[in-house]
Amino acid sequence: MQYIALLRGINVGGKRPVKMSVLKTAYEAAGFTNVQTYINSGNVLFEAPETGLTTLAATCDQIMVETFGFSVNIAVVTADQLIQAVADAPAWWGNMPDVKHNLIVAIAPKTGAELSAPVKTFGRTRWSTVAKGDLYQWLTIRNDNTARKLVALAQALREA
């Protein structure tokens, strides 16, 4: 089965440096196949036998600890989930000049519901609380270009 690991908070301002070539090698050494990384923000496509996402995230974090000496929060999604999420995005998403569009992914054990803000209070309360507080560590953000590129890479691996 095809998965995508989204590592949070690596290679930011010189903190928690991770070389993607080393990360790729570490995933392969852990038994994952068809491993591919994309840009330095921590995106890893890989294949593994069908496994629970929480278990895979724990395995990926153990790779970080063993290889780089630190733990990070990691969201693991199936390629199908990401492909569907991008397919379900409205037509304007990523197609408006001078407007930033992001994919926000909850990191287990948190859920999207725990990290969401009602539209009526989005700018004033709940989202401000999430973005500035302890809950922020439980989400990872990818811009629309990165999300679309990950989908394209996943689809290309399937066709190979």
Side-chain angles (χ1 to χ4, degrees), residues 39-155:
I39 66 175
N40 283 336
S41 61
N43 307 289
V44 186
L45 294 92
F46 63 96
E47 291 180 358
E50 191 167 342
T51 308
L53 299 178
T54 304
T55 300
L56 279 175
T59 300
C60 293
D61 187 47
Q62 188 61 38
I63 291 169
M64 294 301 297
V65 170
E66 292 173 2
T67 307
F68 300 101
F70 55 83
S71 177
V72 297
N73 286 343
I74 301 171
V76 176
V77 297
T78 67
D80 288 339
Q81 287 172 319
L82 184 62
I83 290 166
Q84 192 62 56
V86 170
D88 288 345
W92 53 259
W93 188 72
N95 293 311
M96 297 173 65
D98 302 323
V99 176
K100 185 176 183 175
H101 296 123
N102 292 315
L103 170 73
I104 302 172
V105 180
I107 299 171
K110 299 298 182 191
T111 64
E114 291 175 272
L115 301 174
S116 296
V119 172
K120 67 181 182 179
T121 63
F122 180 80
R124 297 186 313 260
T125 56
R126 179 71 177 143
W127 182 246
S128 297
T129 301
V130 169
K132 293 178 184 174
D134 292 337
L135 290 177
Y136 188 66
Q137 69 181 320
W138 296 105
L139 57 89
T140 189
I141 301 170
R142 299 298 185 272
N143 68 37
D144 59 285
N145 290 332
T146 298
R148 291 182 194 281
K149 181 64 176 184
L150 291 171
V151 165
L153 290 170
Q155 291 172 327

